[in-house]
Amino acid sequence: MKKPSSPAEGLPPSDQVISKNYSGKLLLRNEIRLEEPQFRALPFTPIPSIKRKTFSHECQRCHNQKKSLFASIPCSSCQKTHLYCRKCIEMGRIMECEPLYECSGESFHWPRHEAPCSWDGTLTEVQQQAADRIVHAVKNNERELLVWAVCGAGKTEMLFQGISEALKDGKRICIATPRADVVRELKPRIQQAFAKVSVQALYGGSKDKDGTAQVILATTHQLLRFKHAFDLLIIDEIDAFPFHKDTSLPFAANRAKKDIHTTIYLTATPRQHHRLQIAFNKLPHIFVPIRYHGHPLPVPSTKMCYSLKKPLTKYMPPRSFMNWIKQRKNQSRQILIFVPTIKMAEKMKENLQKILIADNMIKDPKEIDFVHAEDPKREEKVQQFRAKLLRVLLTTTILERGVTFPSVDVGVLDSGDKVFDEAALVQIAGRAGRSSDDPTGEVVFFHDGRTDAMVQAIQSIKKMNRRGGFIE
């Protein structure tokens, strides 16, 4: 008789399925797809969803303690009024009369893979140094490692060896990132690199719903549904909104880790508190100052636009901006235009479209479009731009990071606006020059007065280039 290789393999098939589907999760009853008799027969432990306190309350899913983010509503089942949490309502309404459940039975034992990685690419010397450091962290269950790598350094490929090491040891992995666009872009790359391993992507509107794969790609909001689930948690773009602003997301990330775990942080623009931790040797890190193709980061130029607000209030592009479009060194590049508001992206598209057609810079009105976080066709438009069906794309900061286009010039209109902080501007500049076939690309900040963020972003990029061995 074959001896079970793990406790989970020794369980009856139904218990294995339950263990795989529900261990490591924190769910509402309606998220557990089991009939009531089967549900009651299984080891699900109820947890009060909201704790009442004298001066505040606490949501047990998102850790919200702000009284203003709780409200009361009549309950249809018990005819009483109960509290519900407004902060995490997008994940499904949580009421104090409906507990959360965690599966307290046998944890699922994920398979060990002898040769999980099917990627046959090669890393540069600097990338390999980072990959080796990640592997060391995974092998030794180091609790934290920050990978500080410039935009376009090839962070995803640097992870492959570390992920392989985890899969060889039967570990479960989650790659979490603040934005759904990044998850959508990562999924085919991870699936191709680990063709024999189960991979799922979780984000609002995703086709994957159950979160039962060994490798999970997820927005950081999706971590609110996990508890003690992952041996290796990789948090991409740790400095990005909303992760660094919303305290519930770091809370969820910490809860999603197993007791023995490794956390890898990825960033091109670490926030001040991480820089201080690095300076005082409190956060292990490795620095990657060179893009994978060996060329420097494009250094943004700035263009002063007097009376900039006047054309922008009419949703018209300033004259200096149009001059730049016409005079660009490489007219074959697509144009990515960042604007500070959704309304500006929508309204300016029509005016810019008319000007570009009149100047014979585009022939078809469909060659220009806009995109923003609330756009229902956001994914479709990004794919059209990537396929070069669009020549010009206006966008808010939703595309500042995590997306790759091979050959673009980048313009930032009203770069002095408060939405464009240092990190955002560095990331925006990093959209240009990402391909080895076109490693340069122009980046221009159009403004009516330099801000500290603009100056610091340019200095930061120059500093990165110097650390990479490039002389100005």
Side-chain angles (χ1 to χ4, degrees), residues 11-185:
L11 295 172
S14 60
D15 288 349
Q16 286 189 51
V17 171
I18 296 300
S19 176
K20 182 179 180 181
N21 287 356
Y22 298 112
S23 64
K25 293 182 181 177
L26 194 62
L27 301 172
L28 294 168
R29 175 64 183 93
N30 61 19
E31 294 173 319
I32 301 173
R33 296 192 298 264
L34 296 172
E35 296 296 330
E36 196 61 28
Q38 188 180 17
F39 171 75
R40 291 187 177 184
L42 294 169
F44 285 96
T45 302
I47 299 170
S49 55
I50 296 174
K51 288 185 177 179
R52 281 185 179 262
K53 297 182 179 181
T54 306
F55 300 105
S56 64
H57 313 300
E58 184 179 321
C59 174
Q60 298 303 291
R61 181 169 65 185
C62 72
H63 199 53
N64 168 38
Q65 298 181 57
K66 291 186 178 180
K67 203 167 185 177
S68 60
L69 292 178
F70 288 97
S72 298
I73 191 172
C75 177
S76 57
S77 57
C78 63
Q79 307 302 316
K80 294 182 180 180
T81 299
H82 294 295
L83 285 175
Y84 73 95
C85 179
R86 293 169 53 225
K87 183 172 178 59
C88 59
I89 195 167
E90 290 183 0
M91 306 295 293
R93 186 165 62 199
I94 185 167
M95 297 181 65
E96 64 177 326
C97 61
E98 298 175 355
L100 289 162
Y101 292 92
E102 61 177 316
C103 186
S104 51
E106 179 72 48
S107 295
F108 188 74
H109 288 249
W110 296 94
R112 296 172 182 262
H113 302 265
E114 289 186 10
C117 189
S118 46
W119 183 68
D120 59 359
T122 56
L123 298 177
T124 66
E125 183 179 348
V126 177
Q127 285 179 316
Q128 188 60 58
Q129 289 173 0
D132 291 343
R133 182 66 185 86
I134 292 168
V135 168
H136 183 272
V138 173
K139 277 186 173 181
N140 293 279
N141 294 316
E142 290 185 31
R143 293 187 70 85
E144 291 183 308
L145 174 67
L146 184 140
V147 179
W148 182 354
V150 297
C151 298
K155 291 190 290 292
T156 303
E157 289 74 16
M158 286 186 261
L159 292 171
F160 289 166
Q161 293 176 20
I163 293 172
S164 294
E165 194 62 39
L167 290 170
K168 288 176 185 177
D169 202 29
K171 293 180 178 180
R172 195 180 190 197
I173 300 110
C174 177
I175 305 174
T177 182
R179 297 186 177 176
D181 300 271
V182 183
V183 177
R184 283 191 286 264
E185 182 158 303

Side-chain angles (χ1 to χ4, degrees), residues 304-324:
M304 179 70 176
C305 303
Y306 298 99
S307 304
L308 175 66
K309 295 295 192 291
K310 188 174 181 180
L312 292 185
T313 53
K314 299 177 181 178
Y315 305 109
M316 293 293 293
R319 183 177 299 176
S320 58
F321 175 75
M322 294 309 304
N323 290 339
W324 169 69

